[in-house]
Amino acid sequence: YLARGEKYAGRLDESIATLTSVYALLASREPFGSRLRYYYGGDVAKTLMNLRRPLDAEPFVAEAQAFRRTLPADATTLAQETDFQIGFVRLVTLYEIGEYEEAKKVGEEMLGRYGNGKSPYYEFVTNVFVSDVFLATGRLDQGLAAAQAALKFAKQSAGPHDDLRVHLSALSRAELARGDAAQALAITSQATDTERAGNASNPDAADFDLARGRALLALGRSVDAVPT
């Protein structure tokens, strides 16, 4: 709960320190690939992804794979959860190291597995990250569609304190890649004053400011772009 509170407050560095200490304690008592280590290691991996540190999450993928091999055939829900976590880290890691075509293959495979109402939440998380993959491989319409779908899902399920800037940033990038700087800027204007005042150390906030700044520059408004 402490780590979750730190994460929601935007203090991701503190959150990862808390999660890592809990995982280290479990690792001293539990065997590699146990259920507890898988669960807490998964929390560490997800937070590392939020911090844009996918390579540091790789060891937890190996543990998730070890845990997956222990599951009986009838543990379908848990198997799906584990497969998603493994695929998710692979998708983001491949993108971050510049293997865009390989990342696209993983993303398309995940959308095929979870899309069309099969697993709406897993489809949503995939769309959050695959939109930039599509843009990087020149699939601009697919990138726009993924970003739109992610933002729509996020708006429908968001709580009063949820920060939507990560989704607005992705959609803004997609519009800018398609050459519509005015629309890219308009999308960032949807952020609330509360979101704009959020923790500046949050990588999502930095991505949002960068997306807005690039849209302003594309419109020739360099003076307005400086504060972002």
Side-chain angles (χ1 to χ4, degrees), residues 5-213:
E6 291 166 338
K7 184 175 181 179
Y8 288 152
R11 301 198 302 270
L12 294 179
D13 288 329
E14 294 176 36
S15 181
I16 194 64
T18 302
L19 289 168
T20 303
S21 65
V22 173
Y23 176 81
L25 178 63
L26 282 170
S28 69
R29 302 178 180 182
E30 292 278 331
F32 180 81
S34 71
R35 187 165 186 162
L36 274 176
R37 281 184 58 159
Y38 159 70
Y39 274 128
Y40 283 91
D43 287 339
V44 176
K46 282 180 267 190
T47 306
L48 286 168
M49 305 305 273
N50 290 143
L51 284 165
R52 313 300 193 265
R53 292 166 54 188
L55 294 179
D56 290 335
E58 281 294 313
F60 301 100
V61 174
E63 184 150 35
Q65 290 171 326
F67 172 70
R68 176 69 173 85
R69 290 192 291 270
T70 68
L71 295 178
D74 60 351
T76 53
T77 300
L78 189 52
Q80 184 184 52
E81 173 195 300
T82 310
D83 288 341
F84 174 77
Q85 180 170 309
I86 293 168
F88 163 65
V89 177
R90 284 183 59 219
L91 170 66
V92 180
T93 300
L94 287 167
Y95 173 75
E96 291 290 344
I97 65 175
E99 294 288 345
Y100 300 132
E101 287 295 336
E102 289 302 313
K104 183 182 75 69
K105 290 177 186 177
V106 173
E108 288 178 333
E109 178 186 336
M110 292 174 70
L111 289 176
R113 178 180 296 186
Y114 305 121
N116 297 318
K118 289 176 235 174
S119 294
Y121 178 73
Y122 291 155
E123 181 185 20
F124 157 65
V125 178
T126 302
N127 275 324
V128 170
F129 292 93
V130 82
S131 61
D132 284 323
V133 173
F134 284 138
L135 296 182
T137 54
R139 280 79 171 180
L140 304 187
D141 289 341
Q142 287 176 274
L144 178 65
Q148 288 173 331
L151 178 60
K152 180 180 178 181
F153 184 97
K155 284 183 173 179
Q156 290 173 341
S157 57
H161 303 297
D162 285 349
D163 189 338
L164 298 179
R165 282 178 299 178
V166 63
H167 310 296
L168 295 172
S169 302
L171 187 53
S172 178
R173 287 193 295 271
E175 291 288 8
L176 188 59
R178 296 172 77 250
D180 195 339
Q183 182 62 14
L185 179 62
I187 287 164
T188 64
S189 298
Q190 296 178 32
T192 65
D193 291 340
T194 301
E195 288 171 336
R196 289 174 186 269
N199 193 313
S201 66
N202 186 332
D204 292 341
D207 282 349
F208 176 84
D209 290 341
L210 186 59
R212 184 171 175 81

Side-chain angles (χ1 to χ4, degrees), residues 209-210 212-218 220-228:
D209 290 341
L210 186 59
R212 184 171 175 81
R214 284 175 171 167
L216 287 165
L217 288 173
R221 295 169 56 182
S222 57
V223 174
D224 293 330
V226 171
T228 67

